[in-house]
Amino acid sequence: MLEKTRQQSDWQDQVYPALKSVNVKHVAYVPDAGHSKAIKEAETDIDVHSVVLTTEEEGIGYLAGAWLGGDRGALLMQSSGVGNCINTLALQCCTRFPLLMLITMRGDWAEFNQWQNPMGQATEDALKLMGVMTWRADKSEDVVPLIRGAATMAFDGDSACAVLLGQRLIGEKKWVE
Amino acid sequence: MGGVVPSGNLDRREVVKTLLAERNGLLVVTGLGSASYDVMAAGDNDHNYYLWAAMGSAATVGLGLAEAQPERKAVVVTGDGELLMGFGALATMALRKPPNLSIVVLDNGHYGETGMQPSHAGRGIKLDQVAQACGFDWTAEIRDMVGVKDLSRRIHVADGLKFADVKIKANNPLRVLPPKDGVYVKNRFRAVLGHAPN
């Protein structure tokens, strides 16, 4: 059985309102515990298209299409999903559509499952290699300003922007008996 | 299963030309490779979006577009290999079920761009049956032009998520290259829908 101990989970309450405040109309996601609050809110918001994906790179195509149709969106995933996105990020590089990604980290700090470490440690570099700008949030008070700043640079600058939500922020994940 | 099965007999250029003969504002997304050349050969159009990479993404681009433009009809024209690379997208689309979206696969059972190696479709996987199992509202395997003409009418009716596996000949007609500047094509696509470039 898995259980999470959280330092402060109030940041989780602020993610969805931050996305709404920048006029996000589509939330594409692969389910993740760190994003669970935002996912739940997106799923119950009749004004937002909430799209569960089978793999993260589907969200890049989806959001490119939504932007072609005039809408803003955001992609929510775990750091392991960044590896799935690499080739598909060429779509953003060549099309220059705004791509806002929120990424919860694994293999980052106090990781109990070392199989998460290779991709977690490579996540930020992998994004940068593909031209994605990145910011790290390790404190609750940084989450909203970093999301808003990334959204500005994505939507006003036709850029790919990712906010990495660190494991120190999310809280240590532990096995419990 | 696994042996190479015979390809279809339809001419891919004739299929696409027939499919897009009456556009009426139809939005078209194309998968990289031959499907893009076929759509370009049928006539460049501000309502076309051509992919040149991101293999496996044509269907998801079409999904996002159809959801953002519910008053219009959208069609994805792609190949069997391109669709197979993003196969999970069939499940994602089937959960959303935009009634204004059609997926049209030009299925020659081969990877035409890389030397005509047989694809999974060419080795027996029935793509339309996969879409049907996922829950698409309408699916078909099409082997003649009567079926293509029927499809050309259906894609203009927003009555359900559709999937057509069109069995075409395994050949490579002369390439007709669409514009490769993705920003230019994006901006003209958005402009014709009334959106600013940024």
Side-chain angles (χ1 to χ4, degrees), chain A:
Chain A
M1 191 179 158
L2 287 170
E3 192 176 88
K4 284 194 162 184
T5 56
R6 293 212 170 85
Q7 308 158 355
Q8 272 287 44
S9 64
D10 60 335
W11 66 270
Q12 288 205 334
D13 297 331
Q14 297 163 9
V15 169
Y16 195 68
L19 294 176
K20 291 284 280 188
S21 76
V22 294
N23 208 19
V24 160
K25 291 285 198 314
H26 302 256
V27 174
Y29 67 93
V30 170
D32 171 70
H35 289 308
S36 58
K37 175 81 173 159
I39 290 168
K40 193 174 176 183
E41 293 194 54
E43 285 283 348
T44 54
D45 186 345
I46 57 168
D47 296 324
V48 161
H49 301 249
S50 173
V51 182
V52 62
L53 311 166
T54 70
T55 179
E56 292 80 0
E57 69 270 30
E58 290 175 4
I60 297 173
Y62 181 91
L63 294 178
W67 179 253
L68 283 174
D71 282 355
R72 294 179 172 196
L75 176 55
L76 276 49
M77 69 173 89
Q78 196 175 92
S79 53
S80 48
V82 169
N84 294 343
C85 290
I86 298 299
N87 181 55
T88 308
L89 282 167
L91 180 57
Q92 196 286 328
C93 297
C94 291
T95 302
R96 307 306 303 173
F97 75 92
L99 177 58
L100 176 62
M101 294 190 280
L102 304 187
I103 299 164
T104 48
M105 293 302 296
R106 294 292 304 271
D108 174 45
W109 171 80
E111 176 60 63
F112 78 100
N113 175 3
Q114 77 271 23
W115 289 51
Q116 291 283 353
N117 296 351
M119 190 62 234
Q121 288 295 311
T123 293
E124 192 161 8
D125 288 345
L127 288 166
K128 287 183 184 299
L129 277 170
M130 290 306 291
V132 180
M133 290 185 273
T134 60
W135 295 265
R136 276 192 66 100
D138 286 310
K139 293 176 184 164
S140 185
E141 62 266 31
D142 288 340
V143 173
V144 168
L146 290 180
I147 291 174
R148 291 185 67 91
T152 298
M153 291 171 76
F155 297 120
D156 291 352
D158 292 338
S159 298
C161 298
V163 176
L164 310 180
L165 303 167
Q167 272 182 305
R168 292 197 71 181
L169 171 79
I170 297 166
E172 194 171 349
K173 188 172 182 174
K174 286 180 174 170
W175 290 103
V176 293
E177 296 301 325

Side-chain angles (χ1 to χ4, degrees), chain A residues 49-50 58 67 69 96, chain B residues 67 69 92 96 186 190 198:
Chain A
H49 301 249
S50 173
E58 290 175 4
W67 179 253
R96 307 306 303 173
Chain B
E67 296 232 5
Q69 288 285 327
T92 298
R96 298 298 306 172
K186 171 192 70 172
R190 282 174 54 88
N198 179 284

Side-chain angles (χ1 to χ4, degrees), chain B residues 125-139:
Chain B
I125 302 293
K126 306 279 192 188
L127 301 179
D128 60 308
Q129 291 184 17
V130 177
Q132 186 180 38
C134 287
F136 276 58
D137 297 305
W138 179 88
T139 65

Side-chain angles (χ1 to χ4, degrees), chain B residues 151-162:
Chain B
L151 178 63
S152 72
R153 287 188 295 272
R154 288 180 185 272
I155 61 177
H156 288 284
V157 185
D159 60 352
L161 177 63
K162 302 173 192 69

Side-chain angles (χ1 to χ4, degrees), chain B residues 128-195:
Chain B
D128 60 308
Q129 291 184 17
V130 177
Q132 186 180 38
C134 287
F136 276 58
D137 297 305
W138 179 88
T139 65
E141 182 189 86
I142 293 174
R143 290 187 173 273
D144 56 35
M145 288 306 293
V146 174
V148 174
K149 288 197 177 70
D150 174 61
L151 178 63
S152 72
R153 287 188 295 272
R154 288 180 185 272
I155 61 177
H156 288 284
V157 185
D159 60 352
L161 177 63
K162 302 173 192 69
F163 184 98
D165 184 30
V166 184
K167 294 290 191 181
I168 58 168
K169 276 188 292 226
N171 61 5
N172 279 328
L174 198 65
R175 290 188 175 94
V176 183
L177 304 182
K180 275 197 273 193
D181 184 337
V183 176
Y184 159 69
V185 180
K186 171 192 70 172
N187 287 338
R188 85 175 180 173
F189 191 104
R190 282 174 54 88
V192 78
L193 294 182
H195 298 293

